[in-house]
Amino acid sequence: MLLAIASDHGGYELKETIKEHLRERGVKFVDLGTNNTDSVDYPVYGKACAETVAAGKAERGIVCCGTGIGISIAANKVKGIRCGLCTSVEMATLTRQHNNANMLALGGRTTDPKLALEIVDAFLDTEFEGGRHKRRTDMLDEM
Ligand code: RB5
């Protein structure tokens, strides 16, 4: 699986932690920035990551900002993106099983890094259940 990953300054440290975890897992990724903690605008990075996933250049995406909120809003404005902001392993599991989320958003200032890595693992390792959930994700994709 090839992932796209991006953050603003508020999510930069968590993005770097996630990258190290992905390397340890042997998951390939493309890092779309930001590259330091200088203040930047989260819509730019959410959009870049979402467009990469929507174009099929990466299978899934992970985005981080301070809370995960702003960057998930940005990602979800791109057609074909279903980005779940998760603060627990259960949410990450369910957003894959039920929403077929193709992007995960995390808060670098609000989620403990160790928990964030467990959330990433659940996001990567959980399959979509299909069935009645497919009808609903199709409705999302038509909006
Ligand atoms: C940046 O200070 C902060 O607003 C941003 O990282 C994010 O939390 C927005 O939702």
Side-chain angles (χ1 to χ4, degrees):
M1 180 189 301
L2 176 66
L3 286 181
I5 187 165
S7 76
D8 74 352
H9 54 290
Y12 172 75
E13 297 292 351
L14 180 57
K15 173 169 71 71
E16 296 306 300
T17 300
I18 293 170
K19 282 166 57 181
E20 188 56 37
H21 184 65
L22 295 175
R23 286 190 196 99
E24 286 169 10
R25 280 193 51 150
V27 177
K28 293 196 172 78
F29 60 85
V30 54
D31 181 357
L32 300 170
T34 189
N35 299 317
N36 54 54
T37 55
D38 294 349
S39 183
V40 291
D41 300 323
Y42 59 80
V44 173
Y45 295 90
K47 182 176 184 226
C49 192
E51 288 183 341
T52 299
V53 174
K57 294 177 187 166
E59 191 175 330
R60 291 186 207 163
I62 298 177
V63 284
C64 308
C65 67
T67 58
I69 297 171
I71 207 159
S72 65
I73 293 171
N76 277 314
K77 285 185 170 287
V78 175
K79 191 162 181 60
I81 293 303
R82 296 172 305 279
C83 180
L85 167 58
C86 297
T87 57
S88 70
V89 170
E90 182 183 19
M91 288 174 73
T93 301
L94 286 168
T95 204
R96 286 289 308 136
Q97 289 176 337
H98 291 191
N99 312 128
N100 198 15
N102 49 15
M103 289 185 62
L104 169 69
L106 291 161
R109 294 174 180 157
T110 54
T111 300
D112 174 80
K114 182 173 176 294
L115 173 59
L117 297 184
E118 292 171 3
I119 291 170
V120 166
D121 284 342
F123 174 70
L124 295 180
D125 296 338
T126 305
E127 295 302 318
F128 180 46
E129 286 182 355
R132 68 186 186 281
H133 303 298
K134 175 75 166 64
R135 181 177 73 247
R136 294 161 185 165
T137 59
D138 285 347
M139 290 168 76
L140 289 176
D141 291 342
E142 282 163 17
M143 291 171 79

